[in-house]
Amino acid sequence: MRRACVAAIARKDVRMAMRNNLVLLALVSGVLFSLVYYALPSATDETYHLSVYDEGASALFSSLPPQLSRGAAFSFVSSEEALHEAVYAGDAIAGIVIPATFDEVVAAGGVPSLSLVVADELSTGQAEALSFLVATLAGYDVYGTLPVPLATEVIGADEAGFVPMREQSVPFYLLMALMMEMWTIATLVVEESAAGTMRALLVTPARPSDVLTAKTLVGGVYAVGVVFVILLLTRSVRGDLVALFLGIVLGALLAVSLGLLLGSLTENITGSYMYVSIPLIVLLLPGLLLFIPDISHDAVRAIPTYYLVDAFGQVLNRGAGIADVWRSYLAIACLDVVFFVGGIAAIRRRYR
Amino acid sequence: MTVDNPYKVRNTYVTGYSGSAHVMMIEATGLTYRYGDFVAVDDISFSVAEGEILGFLGPNGAGKSTTVKMLTGQLVPARGVATVLGTDVSRHPKAVHERIGVCFEEKNLYPRMTVRENLQFFADLFDRSVDVDELIRKVDLEKWASERAEALSKGMQQRVMVARALVNDPDVLFLDEPTSGLDPVSAEQIREIIRAEKTRGKTVFLTTHNMAEADALSDRVAFINEGRIVALDTPENLKLRLGRRLLRVRTRAGDDFAEEVLPLDDDATPDRMGALLRAGGIATVHTLEATLEEVFIQLTGRKL
C-alpha cells in the first residue's frame, strides 16, 4: 500500500462526495431521522385504561387491594352507551359493565355475571388477559380472597421494560444511516468503473487495494460522522460508550465493505440500483422489525444487520456492555472481513 | 487481393528504426492473449526504440487494445513477455506505471472535477510529476482550468486526457486513438503535442485506425490484423514496396484534358515522358504511390 496514493485518492473521494447529491442526501438524512425521532412519543404509557359502567354503584372497586389494580386505570361512565363510545374512541381499551344487581347477587351467595367490551385493535391474547384481570377483580369481591401469589422472574434483558418508542427507534435510524452510506459507497465505486476512471487509476502507481482502502477510510469516517450526528441530535449518546463506539465503527465498516462489494459487481449505474436496492431492503428488515415486535425474529437472524441493530438496541436501551454484545460484534467483524476481501477480489478480477 | 508479406519472419520484426542509440523502450516477445477460446493476440513480437513514434494500426477487433493492455500491465499475457523500459510489465507493473503515460480512447476524466483538479489528482499519485499549471498552458487550456471536465467540449476533454498522460513526464507514452472523433483543429493540436514530446526524446506508442495520422506522425507503423502483425516498417518503405510505382500525367489541348498513367519502372517511360515534355501542354504530373490504407488492404484483404 502506498500512503501517498491512498491519501490522494481519499482527498479526491471527499471532493467527489461533496459534489454528489446522493452523498449530500445521506448527510441530510441524519437530520431528517432526528426530526422523526422527536415526532415520536417521548414516554411509554403502559397503563390499561378501562371504562366502567357501574349502574348499581357496587362495592366491587371500592375495596380492591393495590396489587390487583396496579397497571390499570378505571374511569367511570354514566351509561352503557357512554362506555361503548369511550372504547370506540380509543379512550379506553375495554369497558366493564357491572349489572345493577351485582352486590345483591353476591350478598345472596350467588355468582354475578359481568360484561366486557373490548376494542377491535386488541389482539385475542390481550382480550383474554383482560378477561382474566376482570374475573380476578370480581372473584376477590365475591370470595374475599386473593389468587395464589405469583412471583415473576425475567431471564435476560427485560424486553417488556418501559423504553419509549422514540428511544426504541434510534437503532433503526443508525441502521438507516449506515445502509445509506453503503449505497453511497457502492455508487462511488460504480461511478468510478462506469466513467472508466478506475482503469485510468490502475495504470498509475496506485493499486486496487489503495483505491479500496481510500474509499473505506472516507466512507467509514463519513458513516461514523452521520451516525454521531444522529446520536447527538437525538441526545442518544448513553450507555456503555466503548460498546457504543465499537458498534458504530463495526457497523460503518460493514456498510462500507458491503458497498465496495456491491459496487464491484457492475459497471453500469442503472444496473447498480438493482444490485444495491434489493440487498438494501433486506438489510433494513431487522430495523423495521423493531416496530413490529410480534413477528418472529428467527428468520431475521440470517440477515447480517440483525446483529448490528440488536447490539445497538441492547447498548442504548438496555444498559448492555461489551460482555453482553461481544457475540454480535464478533459476527459483524467477521462479516466486515468477508465483504471487504470479496470487494477487493471482485475489483481485481474485473481489472486484471 | 492479399499479397505475400515480404517483411514477415515468423511474425517477428527487427526495429529498422535509425534512432540515435537504439535503446529499446518497448519490447514485446511472443505476446499472446486469449478471451476464452478466441485468440485476440497471437504470438506477436516487436520493439520500439527510444524517441520513436510507432503507429499501431488495425481495424476494430484486430487486437490493438489488447496489445496495449498487455504492454501497460492491464492484462497479463497468456504467453510471451512485454518489457517496457527494461522491466517485465507483468512482474513489476507499478514500477512501469511510474514512468509511462496512458491516454485512453474513451473519455475517462472525473466529470465533476475541474481540469486542474483532474490533473493535480493524477500528479499526486506519482513520485515524479510536472507542474500542473505549466501542463495546462502546454495544452492551451488556461482559460478552462477551473471548469469542470463535464463542461468541456470533446476536443478540450481530449487535450486534458493527453495532458493527464503527461503529468509524470513519462518516458513512454501510450496513446489510444488520441484524435478520434475530433474536429481538424483539435486533432492538429493533439498532433502538435505528440510531435513536441517526440522532440523531447519521448517514445510514443500510437494506436490508431487513422492511416493519414499514422503516416504523418509515425517513424514506423505496424499493421495488426486478426491478432497478428502483418507488416512493420517505415511508412515510406511500406508505400514504396507494396504500393504502385506509377506516374499520372495530365495534358491539356485547348479545353480538353487527356491523362496517361506510366509505370515508373518501365524502360519506355523516360522516352514517353520526354516526348510529352517536348510536345508541351503537360498540365500536372503526379506519382501514384500507394496510401497506407491501400497497403493495408493489399496485405490483409480488408479495409480498416
Side-chain angles (χ1 to χ4, degrees):
Chain A
M1 187 178 76
R2 286 172 50 117
R3 273 191 289 181
C5 285
V6 172
I9 296 167
R11 283 197 300 273
K12 182 269 299 175
D13 282 343
V14 169
R15 185 173 280 136
M16 291 286 285
M18 290 299 110
R19 294 172 189 174
N20 184 314
N21 291 337
L22 189 60
V23 177
L24 292 179
L25 177 66
L27 187 62
V28 173
S29 69
V31 178
L32 293 178
F33 293 146
S34 304
L35 292 177
V36 174
Y37 167 88
Y38 283 107
L40 292 174
S42 61
T44 301
D45 183 2
E46 296 194 356
T47 306
Y48 284 115
H49 289 274
L50 299 170
S51 186
V52 179
Y53 173 52
D54 190 357
E55 188 180 1
S58 70
L60 179 58
F61 286 94
S62 61
S63 57
L64 284 178
Q67 62 267 43
L68 278 187
S69 57
R70 190 169 58 203
F74 303 98
S75 57
F76 292 85
V77 294
S78 57
S79 67
E80 200 165 338
E81 289 74 27
L83 181 140
H84 278 90
E85 281 177 16
V87 173
Y88 186 75
D91 297 334
I93 58 166
I96 305 166
V97 180
I98 303 171
T101 58
F102 186 88
D103 283 352
E104 288 174 26
V105 173
V106 171
V111 178
S113 61
L114 296 174
S115 297
L116 184 67
V117 179
V118 297
D120 58 4
E121 66 195 41
L122 285 189
S123 66
T124 306
Q126 287 172 313
E128 285 178 359
L130 267 178
S131 298
F132 280 115
L133 171 67
V134 173
T136 303
L137 294 174
Y140 174 74
D141 192 65
V142 173
Y143 302 110
T145 56
L146 286 172
V148 174
L150 185 66
T152 305
E153 182 186 0
V154 176
I155 303 297
D158 186 358
E159 297 290 343
F162 295 90
V163 179
M165 175 65 87
R166 66 162 55 164
E167 306 305 339
Q168 286 185 44
S169 66
V170 172
F172 175 67
Y173 305 143
L174 303 186
L175 178 67
M176 276 290 285
L178 290 172
M179 290 304 102
M180 288 192 75
E181 188 55 30
M182 178 198 79
W183 191 334
T184 303
I185 292 289
T187 302
L188 287 176
V189 173
V190 173
E191 277 186 348
E192 196 97 71
S193 297
T197 46
M198 184 70 88
R199 198 168 288 285
L201 270 177
L202 296 181
V203 291
T204 70
R207 299 169 192 275
S209 56
D210 296 336
V211 178
L212 293 190
T213 303
K215 290 190 190 314
T216 301
L217 284 174
V218 172
V221 169
Y222 186 76
V224 169
V226 173
V227 165
F228 265 101
V229 165
I230 294 173
L231 287 174
L232 290 173
L233 288 177
T234 59
R235 290 178 290 184
S236 300
V237 182
R238 59 174 177 263
D240 186 330
L241 295 185
V242 174
L244 179 62
F245 186 74
L246 185 58
I248 290 168
V249 170
L250 288 172
L253 289 175
L254 181 72
V256 172
S257 56
L258 262 171
L260 293 175
L261 179 62
L262 294 173
S264 307
L265 297 178
T266 178
E267 286 186 345
N268 180 294
I269 294 280
T270 310
S272 73
Y273 294 141
M274 185 191 74
Y275 274 102
V276 179
S277 58
I278 294 174
L280 181 72
I281 292 168
V282 173
L283 292 166
L284 284 175
L285 275 179
L288 290 169
L289 292 180
L290 286 172
F291 301 101
I292 318 171
D294 285 348
I295 293 182
S296 169
H297 282 192
D298 289 345
V300 183
R301 288 173 191 271
I303 302 173
T305 46
Y306 166 80
Y307 301 96
L308 196 58
V309 172
D310 183 59
F312 281 147
Q314 297 292 331
V315 172
L316 285 173
N317 298 326
R318 306 288 174 195
I322 293 282
D324 304 303
V325 295
W326 70 269
R327 287 183 188 82
S328 293
Y329 282 2
L330 184 63
I332 298 165
C334 291
L335 290 167
D336 287 348
V337 173
V338 168
F339 293 140
F340 188 77
V341 170
I344 287 186
I347 286 209
R348 283 208 166 132
R349 188 176 166 192
R350 184 176 291 279
Y351 292 101
R352 289 289 289 179
Chain B
M1 182 185 74
T2 303
V3 298
D4 288 336
N5 180 355
Y7 305 97
K8 187 172 172 187
V9 183
R10 290 179 185 169
N11 210 32
T12 302
Y13 297 81
V14 293
T15 69
Y17 177 64
S18 56
S20 56
H22 282 277
V23 175
M24 293 306 150
M25 304 296 271
I26 302 172
E27 288 188 284
T29 310
L31 278 187
T32 302
Y33 194 85
R34 296 186 187 89
Y35 295 102
D37 292 333
F38 175 70
V39 182
V41 174
D42 188 6
D43 191 26
I44 64 171
S45 301
F46 61 88
S47 54
V48 187
E50 185 176 18
E52 181 183 9
I53 297 180
L54 178 74
F56 203 61
L57 294 100
N60 290 335
K64 296 193 302 287
S65 295
T66 303
T67 303
V68 171
K69 284 178 179 174
M70 286 190 283
L71 292 175
T72 56
Q74 298 177 68
L75 289 176
V76 177
R79 212 155 41 81
V81 178
T83 306
V84 174
L85 296 152
T87 303
D88 184 336
V89 182
S90 298
R91 289 188 175 185
H92 307 286
K94 292 301 154 188
V96 172
H97 291 159
E98 186 68 53
R99 293 179 61 194
I100 66 169
V102 182
C103 179
F104 297 82
E105 181 181 8
E106 70 272 16
K107 303 288 178 293
N108 58 1
L109 298 167
Y110 289 100
R112 288 192 295 273
M113 283 166 57
T114 67
V115 170
R116 182 178 284 107
E117 286 169 348
N118 263 287
L119 296 179
Q120 189 61 59
F121 165 56
F122 276 88
D124 290 344
L125 298 173
F126 292 91
D127 289 338
R128 178 179 76 174
S129 62
V130 299
D131 180 70
V132 165
D133 287 322
E134 180 62 35
L135 196 55
I136 290 171
R137 274 193 292 279
K138 191 173 183 175
V139 294
D140 197 21
L141 282 171
E142 299 104 305
K143 288 181 187 171
W144 304 90
S146 299
E147 293 292 329
R148 286 190 182 189
E150 63 191 355
L152 303 181
S153 69
K154 198 173 179 183
M156 288 177 186
Q157 286 189 23
Q158 191 61 40
R159 272 187 278 162
V160 180
M161 298 267 295
V162 173
R164 187 178 67 186
L166 300 173
V167 291
N168 58 329
D169 192 21
D171 297 312
V172 180
L173 259 177
F174 291 90
L175 304 175
D176 193 357
E177 307 282 359
T179 61
S180 175
L182 297 188
D183 62 83
V185 175
S186 298
E188 189 50 36
Q189 286 177 313
I190 301 285
R191 287 185 203 114
E192 279 304 314
I193 295 168
I194 297 170
R195 288 190 192 99
E197 289 305 306
K198 176 183 167 58
T199 305
R200 296 180 61 227
K202 307 297 184 181
T203 305
V204 180
F205 190 89
L206 174 67
T207 308
T208 181
H209 60 252
N210 183 336
M211 291 289 186
E213 180 170 278
D215 198 353
L217 287 175
S218 308
D219 296 301
R220 289 184 305 146
V221 293
F223 289 147
I224 183 167
N225 186 46
E226 296 177 349
R228 297 176 71 83
I229 291 179
V230 293
L232 195 162
D233 208 334
T234 64
E236 290 73 20
N237 280 344
L238 286 171
K239 288 184 287 189
L240 284 172
R241 294 183 195 181
L242 291 174
R244 298 166 297 165
R245 291 175 49 76
L246 300 172
L247 203 59
R248 185 173 66 191
V249 183
R250 296 189 82 198
T251 56
R252 183 174 185 171
D255 291 336
D256 296 328
F257 285 90
E259 185 174 294
E260 279 188 54
V261 176
L262 305 172
L264 274 174
D265 301 324
D266 192 327
D267 291 342
T269 295
D271 292 341
R272 179 59 187 151
M273 272 300 295
L276 288 170
L277 286 167
R278 284 191 294 276
I282 290 181
T284 59
V285 179
H286 292 284
T287 55
L288 291 183
E289 65 184 18
T291 63
L292 278 181
E293 181 146 15
E294 287 167 335
V295 173
F296 185 83
I297 292 168
Q298 284 190 59
L299 286 171
T300 65
R302 60 189 289 201
K303 289 185 176 181
L304 273 177

